[in-house]
Amino acid sequence: MREMSIAENYRRIREEIPDNVTIVLAGKTRSLEEVEEVIEAGATDIGENYVQEAEAMYDSLGKKAKKVRWHMIGHLQTNKINKALRIFDVMQTVDSLEKASSIDKRVGRMEKQVSVYLEINIGRETTKAGVNPEYEAIENLVREISKFKHLSLEGLMTMGPQSGDPEDSRPYFRKAKGVFERMKALNLSKVKMETLSMGMSNSYRVAIEEGSNMVRLGTVVFGERN
Ligand SMILES: *Cc1c(COP(=O)(O)O)cnc(C)c1O
C-alpha cells in the first residue's frame, strides 16, 4: 500500500475527530516543507517545543506563519520569554506563579495579549514539569494568575504517563478532566477556562473520549521522528 502523505494524514484525522477538538501539530524536528504541507492541508495550530527551532520555522514560513496559531508546548526558560513572545500566541506550559509573572511583565511591554494554559503533572512524575494535581494548590494558582493584566488563562495542558497502551492513560485523562471542570466551575470573571489540551499520537482517541478538546499530534501526521 502507498504511504499516506502528511496532508492526507492530517485530513483523515481532522475528519475522524469531532469538530470542537483542535489539532495542534507538534512541529519538533520537522522540516520547513513538512510544516508547509500541513498548513496547506488546512492546519490551524502549530506547537513547538524549543524557542530557537520555533523562530527558525516561523521566520522561514514568512506569510504562511500568520495563517496559524503558535503554541509553546515545551519547557519554557525565563531567559527565552521575550523571544518566545514574538512568535507564540499560546503558552501551554505555565506551571508556576513566577513563570506567569515573567510572561505578564514582558507582554506588558508589547502590544499583545497572550493566552496561557496551566500545565498539570497529572501522573506526579518526577521527570515531568507541571503542577501536581492538588486541587487547592491549583485553585490558588488559577486565582493568582487571573490577576495578571496581560495574560488570559484559558485552559489546562497535561501529558500523562506514557506507555504502550493508551488505555493506561485513561484514568489520568479522566482525572485531568475533573480538575478542568472544577476550575471552570470557579467561574472567575477573568478566566475563560475552555481548553483542555491532552492527548498525543498514541492516545488522542482515549483523550477525546475523556473530554479533551485539544490534541497535540506529531507522529501520526508527520511519521516517526528520526
Ligand atoms: C512531541 C510532543 C507531542 C506530540 O507527540 P507525538 O507522540 O509525536 O504525537 C505532543 N505534546 C508535546 C508536549 C510534545 O513534546
Side-chain angles (χ1 to χ4, degrees):
M1 209 176 80
R2 186 178 68 90
E3 253 187 65
M4 296 243 267
S5 70
I6 290 168
E8 286 168 329
N9 287 336
Y10 171 74
R11 292 203 190 102
R12 177 176 50 81
I13 297 170
R14 186 59 280 176
E15 277 173 27
E16 166 198 325
I17 67 176
D19 290 347
N20 73 309
V21 179
T22 302
I23 300 175
V24 175
L25 280 313
K28 63 174 175 280
T29 76
R30 307 304 174 178
S31 69
L32 173 63
E33 290 71 26
E34 289 172 309
V35 174
E36 275 180 330
E37 181 174 345
V38 85
I39 293 175
E40 272 156 26
T44 54
D45 296 76
I46 305 286
E48 290 286 352
N49 291 66
Y50 307 102
V51 174
Q52 236 166 323
E53 215 180 311
E55 283 183 305
M57 185 61 74
Y58 185 92
D59 291 337
S60 314
L61 282 167
K63 274 191 192 146
K64 281 182 198 147
K66 306 274 193 308
K67 289 191 187 171
V68 293
R69 292 201 306 160
W70 290 81
H71 299 249
M72 177 59 179
I73 60 173
H75 179 71
L76 182 65
Q77 292 166 279
T78 306
N79 63 359
K80 299 255 171 77
I81 292 176
N82 276 328
K83 284 186 170 171
L85 286 173
R86 180 171 72 88
I87 292 156
F88 295 108
D89 306 289
V90 185
M91 304 292 229
Q92 293 206 12
T93 51
V94 172
D95 61 0
S96 68
L97 195 57
E98 293 68 36
K99 211 164 271 179
S101 168
S102 309
I103 299 172
D104 181 67
K105 267 191 215 124
R106 289 167 177 81
V107 185
R109 299 187 212 121
M110 308 165 89
E111 279 178 39
K112 199 166 173 169
Q113 261 273 332
V114 168
S115 307
V116 298
Y117 302 167
L118 199 57
E119 181 175 358
I120 310 294
N121 184 359
I122 204 69
R124 296 174 186 268
E125 293 169 278
T126 50
T127 53
K128 285 215 173 100
V131 189
N132 279 338
E134 282 149 24
Y135 179 70
E136 269 178 37
I138 295 174
E139 176 176 340
N140 286 337
L141 205 47
V142 166
R143 287 186 187 279
E144 290 304 315
I145 293 175
S146 75
K147 293 176 189 163
F148 290 122
K149 254 172 110 176
H150 310 285
L151 303 184
S152 168
L153 182 59
E154 298 180 1
L156 300 183
M157 182 272 209
T158 197
M159 300 270 276
Q162 283 291 96
S163 78
D165 185 354
E167 280 301 324
D168 294 344
S169 302
R170 191 181 292 280
Y172 296 101
F173 289 158
R174 191 166 291 175
K175 193 165 168 184
K177 169 73 168 167
V179 175
F180 178 68
E181 287 304 327
R182 288 184 76 167
M183 290 308 126
K184 225 176 163 158
L186 292 175
N187 248 319
L188 299 175
S189 59
K190 273 201 65 208
V191 178
K192 41 173 187 167
M193 192 52 76
E194 38 192 42
T195 304
L196 179 56
S197 172
M198 68 181 186
M200 309 184 6
S201 287
N202 77 328
S203 61
Y204 72 93
R205 290 191 181 93
V206 172
I208 293 169
E209 283 167 13
E210 295 302 331
S212 165
N213 59 8
M214 179 176 282
V215 293
R216 306 178 309 269
L217 306 180
T219 315
V220 278
V221 173
F222 295 113
E224 291 296 331
R225 274 184 293 277
N226 293 324

